[in-house]
Amino acid sequence: MITVTNLSKNFDERMLLKDVNLSIFPNERIGLTGPNGAGKSTLFQIILGNLEPTEGGVQIQKGIKIGYMAQEAKYASERTVMEEITSGDDEIRALLAEKHKLEDDNKADSPRYGDVLEILEQKGIYELEHKAEKILSGLGFKEAEFHKPIIQLSGGWQMRTQLAKLLTYKYDLILLDEPTNYLDLEATIWLKGYLSNYDGTFIIISHDKIFLNDVTNYTIILEDAKMTKIKGNYEAYQEAKDIRNRTLEKQKKVVDAKRAQLERFTERFHAQPNRASAVRNKQKMLDRMEEIDIPQEKHSIRDFEIPQTIESGYTVMTLTKVSKSYPDKPIYKDLDFEIIKGQKLCLVGPNGAGKSTLLKIIAGVLSVDSGTRKLGHQVNLGYFSQTRLDVLNPSRTVFEELMSAVERSIPQAQARTLLGVFNFRGDDVFKPVRV
């Protein structure tokens, strides 16, 4: 289906992919994994033709249809969820447009009109709504929400709409970039079952190892600009990796022992003329010996500790008789809520229950309809949004965003060190947030 040959891609001095060779065949369910920033999404964009490789290329079999779900996307559509999903993919839309034109031109009795109807039927056009209903229900939509305008949905539900549309149509290959990010447990379990029985080929980016184990039969590891494909799920990869590392450790012990023996010989006899020939031979053996490196476990975030702040008062946050509604849905009514210093809270519940709304109210980025929100004495509040651009300025550089957040209270060198902890290396810190 797809052949990647000697593919390399770099951004400025940073090499994301180097001499990658890869083949993707029908009915492979592939998990693509690796550290954040390793180039997984970049590989998707190259396959889709949205990015040009620095070197090498991607050959896609003629006629292959590729579907894609981005990690983040927003709809500006005024259509309802069901209208969007049943509007068709590019091919179906073209066929429907041709059908309508033939009807307008009074050519409904032409052979071509019959061909168009037959192709549409083969593509399941008359079963789309039924199929879409099943998928939407599996992803957690209630029936009343099928006919809700997409523009009124939260970012998370818009992403579910995008996923539902992708699964409704038949593709030869689908590319899924972290599709579980916006799913609750029930929807994730449904998607796991759907992909486990998927009749086709997909590549899925995910950091959820359990999910990958359940839905994939091949694994691609992307690390240090290199790519390795193995047969089996992530657990099979991990087992093979452990076996390989144990073998390397044994080989290293043997080689290190041999090296030490040779070094002792050359050190002991290097000054003896009658042993000069033997010493030279031993030194040549030493020079030819290969170093065996044991791969070190890599961590996406290294040695990070939450910095100390000024000690706050006993009560961190108080919400009193808070009510909040959206135009079509009440969320909270007379809510009383209190956070005490030292508490570590987990907020759980189905999507749409109001978890993000509560966090936004606590963070002060969303006003309430009634009631009061009171921040405790000397409370320094931080907020990380589900939608990244809610809290980031895309036109600023990474470094500028950090400095604006800390209000220049730390030296620039320390800020660079902190960014390095999160794997922003070299000139990466001066790239705009939007890229």
Side-chain angles (χ1 to χ4, degrees), residues 80-88 124-143 145-147 160-161 163-169 190 194:
T80 67
V81 171
M82 186 59 73
E83 287 170 347
E84 178 66 32
I85 291 176
T86 56
S87 64
I125 187 68
Y126 305 113
E127 302 163 8
L128 275 183
E129 190 161 336
H130 177 65
K131 186 177 181 181
E133 286 175 353
K134 289 177 64 176
I135 291 172
L136 286 170
S137 296
L139 291 174
F141 284 86
K142 296 180 174 63
E143 191 172 343
E145 295 168 329
F146 294 175
H147 306 290
R160 290 195 194 207
T161 303
L163 178 57
K165 184 173 183 178
L166 184 69
L167 298 180
T168 298
Y169 296 91
W190 179 88
Y194 186 92

Side-chain angles (χ1 to χ4, degrees), residues 17 20 22 32 43 220-223 225-229:
L17 304 168
V20 167
L22 174 71
L32 175 56
L43 177 64
I220 294 174
I221 308 299
L222 180 54
E223 195 168 40
K226 298 293 184 181
M227 190 172 287
T228 304
K229 181 182 177 184

Side-chain angles (χ1 to χ4, degrees), residues 321-360:
K321 300 295 181 187
V322 163
S323 295
K324 179 64 183 179
S325 297
Y326 293 113
D328 60 338
K329 185 177 181 182
I331 304 295
Y332 293 109
K333 174 73 172 174
D334 294 333
L335 171 68
D336 292 319
F337 183 75
E338 187 176 62
I339 303 174
I340 303 301
K341 183 173 70 173
Q343 289 182 334
K344 298 175 178 65
L345 307 180
C346 178
L347 189 56
V348 298
N351 274 21
K355 302 185 298 296
S356 295
T357 297
L358 180 58
L359 285 184
K360 288 178 180 180

Side-chain angles (χ1 to χ4, degrees), residues 361-377:
I361 291 171
I362 292 171
V365 299
L366 184 66
S367 61
V368 299
D369 298 335
S370 61
T372 58
R373 167 191 174 273
K374 184 179 179 182
L375 195 64
H377 178 63

Side-chain angles (χ1 to χ4, degrees), residues 41-65:
S41 298
T42 299
L43 177 64
F44 276 9
Q45 292 304 314
I46 292 173
I47 290 173
L48 292 165
N50 297 332
L51 270 181
E52 286 292 326
T54 308
E55 294 179 8
V58 176
Q59 185 175 1
I60 301 174
Q61 185 180 328
K62 188 175 181 181
I64 291 293
K65 284 182 61 180

